[in-house]
């Protein structure tokens, strides 16, 4: 106890004597937030409030929680949400992401709180989150897969996506078994020890019976392959939905620039609105890299491989806010590739991303990205799914090529220029919140929830019983 008070005294003695200066300090801001009743706390009544707050902070979450058993007043003090929000703010995960997840996702799919924050005990949530085992997170992707444990700060590895893994002529179930076995081996984890979250690549877009059946079959194949490997619980979520969660939204439009094509996906309360319509533009990361390659060849710029071209695209290319004005500017810039030396690009830097908006530049007959997004918004409005039309006015970019600087600003400007004022008002386009790994981080939010895995996962017994009922009927 003497050590504790010595630490408290050292902390307090360093504070400025000026109240105006101390208000800028994060500890003092927290003190101003805290409200403690004047009821007795025993001998601690004699301790000044600011020192009292320091004691709670130094004690930490575990010891603070024990104080709730002392008396009613102590219980009131240490169960105050603001104290536990302070503790949560010092976690590795950003606090705003934790708050979003616990207030919007904790009850499971489609059970969100779009208009109000539920009455939650963050003291209880803190304890529950500390006991959550986490999950293996696999973001299927359309170009390559990202995998890792949800307690990690980032994906730990990458591989080919399961849609292109192994022999593509093999049955889907066999490819999935091979793929998941490889991931578990690379992570050195036993299949029976951890739940798993799998992001399902954006495919089978239409609302037809054929596409519905294809989506259902893919999801069931994922569950079957994993449960046959003795995985205890499985959560399979659409990749676009996870990218939206990473941006701390449950409704909006996700523009996913995939490997082969770009998908514009309307999502309401965590569910893809296939009945509204998913727009698809036949331009993806591969087309962008290929177009840059053609431009470099035309200027006789030698490169060793397509990986070099992709590195130049990722490090030098950008999207111009005004394409015509950009042509007259000096846009030369250089980048060094290990073992190949320096490369200098000029107008190729902004022409590459411009084909998303003007595909004809690359000789392609396709809809521009801005037109596809505007069309999707018009369909959302016509569907009249909600009285408030603001749900589709947040656009979240996803995918590696969506990280091109200037893309979000250009898309927002062009979409607002196409739509009438009553629709364009309030439109926001957000860049990928976690770059190429946005969907993985969206799954990470789910895997670290205080209610995981029960709120989001299908258990092996549930899946078997459901499959048996289907067979009987």
């Amino acid at each position: 106890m003497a050590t504790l008070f010595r630490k408290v005294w050292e902390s307090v003695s360093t504070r400025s004597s000026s109240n105006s200066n101390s208000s800028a300090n994060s500890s003092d801001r927290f003190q101003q937030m805290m409200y403690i009743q004047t009821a007795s706390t025993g001998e601690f009544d004699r301790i000044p409030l600011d020192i009292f707050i320091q004691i709670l902070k130094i004690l930490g979450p575990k010891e603070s929680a024990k104080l709730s058993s002392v008396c009613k007043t102590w219980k009131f003090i240490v169960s105050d949400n603001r104290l536990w929000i302070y503790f949560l703010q010092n976690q590795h995960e950003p606090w705003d992401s934790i708050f979003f997840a616990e207030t919007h996702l904790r009850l499971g799919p489609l059970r969100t709180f779009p208009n109000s924050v539920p009455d939650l005990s963050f003291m209880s949530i803190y304890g529950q989150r500390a006991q959550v085992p986490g999950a293996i997170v696999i973001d299927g992707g359309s170009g390559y897969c990202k995998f890792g444990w949800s307690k990690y700060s980032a994906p730990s590895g990458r591989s080919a996506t399961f849609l292109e893994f192994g022999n593509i002529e093999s049955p889907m179930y066999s490819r999935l078994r091979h793929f998941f076995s490889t991931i578990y081996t690379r992570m050195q984890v036993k299949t029976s020890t951890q739940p798993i979250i799998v992001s399902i690549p954006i495919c089978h877009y239409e609302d037809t019976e054929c596409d519905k059946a294809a989506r259902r079959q893919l999801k069931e194949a994922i569950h079957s392959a994993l449960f046959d490997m003795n995985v205890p619980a499985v959560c399979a979520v659409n990749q676009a939905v996870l990218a939206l969660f990473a941006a701390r939204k449950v409704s909006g439009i996700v523009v996913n620039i995939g490997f082969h094509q770009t998908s514009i996906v309307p999502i309401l309360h965590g569910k893809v609105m296939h009945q509204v319509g998913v727009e698809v533009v036949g331009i993806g990361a591969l087309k962008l890299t290929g177009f840059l390659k053609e431009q470099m060849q035309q200027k006789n710029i030698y490169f060793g491989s397509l990986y070099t071209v992709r590195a130049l695209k990722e490090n030098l290319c950008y999207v111009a806010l005004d394409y015509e004005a950009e042509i007259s500017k000096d846009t030369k810039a250089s980048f060094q590739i290990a073992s190949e030396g320096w490369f200098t690009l000029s107008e190729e830097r902004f022409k590459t991303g411009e084909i998303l908006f003007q595909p004809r530049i690359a000789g392609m007959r396709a809809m521009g990205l801005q037109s596809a997004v505007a069309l999707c918004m018009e369909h959302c409005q016509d569907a009249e799914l909600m009285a408030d039309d603001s749900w589709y006015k947040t656009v979240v970019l996803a995918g590696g090529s969506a990280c091109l600087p200037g893309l979000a600003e250009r898309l927002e400007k062009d979409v607002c220029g196409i739509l009438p004022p009553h629709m364009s008002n309030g439109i926001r386009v957000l860049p990928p919140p976690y770059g190429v790994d946005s969907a993985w981080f969206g799954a990470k939010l789910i895997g670290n929830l205080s209610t995981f895995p029960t709120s989001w996962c299908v258990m092996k017994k549930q899946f078997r019983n459901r499959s048996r009922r289907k067979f009987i009927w």
Side-chain angles (χ1 to χ4, degrees), residues 32-33 153-154 195 197 414:
Q32 292 166 7
M33 290 170 60
S153 59
I197 303 173
D414 284 11

Side-chain angles (χ1 to χ4, degrees), residues 287-301:
K287 291 279 188 184
L288 293 173
T289 304
F291 184 57
L292 178 57
K293 171 188 168 185
E294 291 174 7
Q295 294 178 88
M296 291 173 65
Q297 288 173 333
Q298 289 171 5
K299 288 198 171 182
N300 296 318
I301 301 175

Side-chain angles (χ1 to χ4, degrees), residues 81 84-86 88-100 122 248:
N81 270 345
W84 292 91
I85 286 173
Y86 169 81
L88 283 165
Q89 283 174 330
N90 289 278
Q91 301 297 296
H92 297 300
E93 207 171 333
W95 159 245
D96 49 1
S97 294
I98 294 175
F99 187 81
F100 164 77
F122 281 93
R248 300 187 295 277

Side-chain angles (χ1 to χ4, degrees), residues 40-242:
S40 175
T41 54
E43 291 300 315
F44 280 88
D45 281 346
R46 301 179 184 181
I47 300 175
L49 178 61
D50 56 350
I51 299 180
F52 190 86
I53 298 301
Q54 293 290 332
I55 291 174
L56 286 177
K57 291 180 182 180
I58 292 172
L59 282 174
K62 191 173 181 180
E63 295 302 320
S64 292
K66 290 179 180 178
L67 293 175
S68 61
S69 62
V70 175
C71 66
K72 287 184 178 180
T73 305
W74 274 104
K75 186 174 183 179
F76 172 82
I77 293 169
V78 301
S79 63
D80 190 295
N81 270 345
R82 286 163 291 189
L83 173 64
W84 292 91
I85 286 173
Y86 169 81
F87 290 140
L88 283 165
Q89 283 174 330
N90 289 278
Q91 301 297 296
H92 297 300
E93 207 171 333
W95 159 245
D96 49 1
S97 294
I98 294 175
F99 187 81
F100 164 77
E102 295 294 348
T103 54
H104 289 77
L105 308 179
R106 70 192 312 265
L107 296 184
L110 309 182
R111 298 178 65 186
T112 60
F113 303 94
N115 298 318
S116 62
V117 176
D119 186 16
L120 302 175
S121 166
F122 281 93
M123 178 178 176
S124 174
I125 286 172
Y126 189 99
Q128 291 169 356
R129 287 181 71 90
Q131 297 176 33
V132 168
I136 302 299
V137 175
I138 299 179
D139 172 19
S142 57
Y144 54 92
C145 157
K146 286 78 70 178
F147 59 85
W149 190 39
S150 65
K151 299 291 185 179
Y152 291 164
S153 59
S156 58
R158 286 167 167 74
S159 77
T161 177
F162 58 72
L163 293 180
E164 299 180 0
F165 194 87
N167 183 359
I168 60 173
E169 295 182 359
S170 299
M172 178 58 73
Y173 175 86
S174 301
R175 288 160 55 193
L176 287 170
R177 280 293 297 264
H178 183 198
F179 171 79
F180 290 127
S181 296
T182 302
I183 298 299
Y184 273 101
T185 300
R186 289 180 62 178
M187 290 190 66
Q188 299 181 339
V189 175
K190 290 183 179 180
T191 58
S192 59
T193 59
Q194 300 285 347
I196 188 170
I197 303 173
V198 181
S199 86
I200 305 175
I202 305 165
C203 54
H204 311 298
Y205 313 95
E206 303 297 328
D207 196 38
T208 62
E209 290 303 318
C210 180
D211 272 20
K212 285 180 182 177
R215 289 194 294 270
R216 188 164 53 249
Q217 287 169 6
L218 175 58
K219 204 167 184 177
E220 288 182 357
I222 290 172
H223 282 92
S224 294
L226 288 168
F227 284 133
D228 287 349
M229 294 168 60
N230 206 28
V231 174
V234 178
C235 172
V237 188
N238 185 281
Q239 187 182 40
V241 172
L242 292 175

Side-chain angles (χ1 to χ4, degrees), residues 31 61 68 90 104 114 121 127 147 166 170 173 177 259 292 306 319-320 338 340 343 349 359 365 381 395 416 419 458:
Q31 172 197 334
S68 61
N90 289 278
H104 289 77
S121 166
F147 59 85
S170 299
Y173 175 86
R177 280 293 297 264
F259 194 62
L292 178 57
L306 206 58
V319 175
E340 290 198 49
F343 290 82
R349 297 181 62 209
R365 297 182 63 183
Q381 186 185 50
V395 179
C416 289
L419 294 172
V458 174

Side-chain angles (χ1 to χ4, degrees), residues 194-431:
Q194 300 285 347
I196 188 170
I197 303 173
V198 181
S199 86
I200 305 175
I202 305 165
C203 54
H204 311 298
Y205 313 95
E206 303 297 328
D207 196 38
T208 62
E209 290 303 318
C210 180
D211 272 20
K212 285 180 182 177
R215 289 194 294 270
R216 188 164 53 249
Q217 287 169 6
L218 175 58
K219 204 167 184 177
E220 288 182 357
I222 290 172
H223 282 92
S224 294
L226 288 168
F227 284 133
D228 287 349
M229 294 168 60
N230 206 28
V231 174
V234 178
C235 172
V237 188
N238 185 281
Q239 187 182 40
V241 172
L242 292 175
L244 189 65
F245 289 169
R248 300 187 295 277
K249 304 289 180 184
V250 294
S251 299
I253 293 176
V254 172
V255 176
N256 184 75
I257 304 179
F259 194 62
H260 295 289
Q261 57 195 12
T262 297
S263 309
I264 295 89
V265 187
I267 299 168
L268 180 60
H269 295 166
K271 182 179 180 181
V272 177
M273 295 289 99
H274 289 285
Q275 64 269 38
V276 171
V278 175
E279 301 296 329
V280 179
V281 178
I283 304 173
L286 197 59
K287 291 279 188 184
L288 293 173
T289 304
F291 184 57
L292 178 57
K293 171 188 168 185
E294 291 174 7
Q295 294 178 88
M296 291 173 65
Q297 288 173 333
Q298 289 171 5
K299 288 198 171 182
N300 296 318
I301 301 175
Y302 174 78
F303 51 88
S305 68
L306 206 58
Y307 291 101
T308 300
V309 181
R310 190 176 74 179
L312 293 173
K313 179 190 74 174
E314 293 172 352
N315 290 279
L316 288 180
C317 291
Y318 65 96
V319 175
L321 189 63
D322 186 332
Y323 177 70
E324 298 300 331
E326 205 73 11
I327 293 175
S328 60
K329 297 179 182 178
D330 180 8
T331 56
K332 281 187 179 180
S334 301
F335 184 77
Q336 186 177 24
I337 303 290
S339 75
E340 290 198 49
W342 288 90
F343 290 82
T344 300
L345 302 179
S346 53
E347 67 270 11
E348 302 85 14
R349 297 181 62 209
F350 62 88
K351 277 189 176 180
T352 299
E354 187 64 25
I355 68 173
L356 289 168
F357 298 89
Q358 300 187 63
R360 58 178 179 77
I361 293 176
M364 292 181 288
R365 297 182 63 183
M367 185 186 300
L369 184 58
Q370 72 280 25
S371 300
V373 172
L375 182 61
C376 182
M377 288 185 171
E378 288 172 352
H379 289 162
C380 289
Q381 186 185 50
D382 293 342
E384 297 182 345
L385 298 177
M386 291 185 69
D388 181 8
D389 64 357
S390 64
W391 71 270
Y392 60 79
K393 291 189 175 182
T394 297
V395 179
V396 177
L397 301 180
S401 294
C403 298
L404 287 174
L407 178 57
E409 294 81 0
R410 171 66 180 280
L411 183 58
E412 183 175 311
K413 172 195 166 190
D414 284 11
V415 170
C416 289
I418 293 174
L419 294 172
H422 72 278
M423 283 188 64
S424 62
N425 185 38
I427 289 176
R428 291 188 309 146
V429 179
L430 307 179

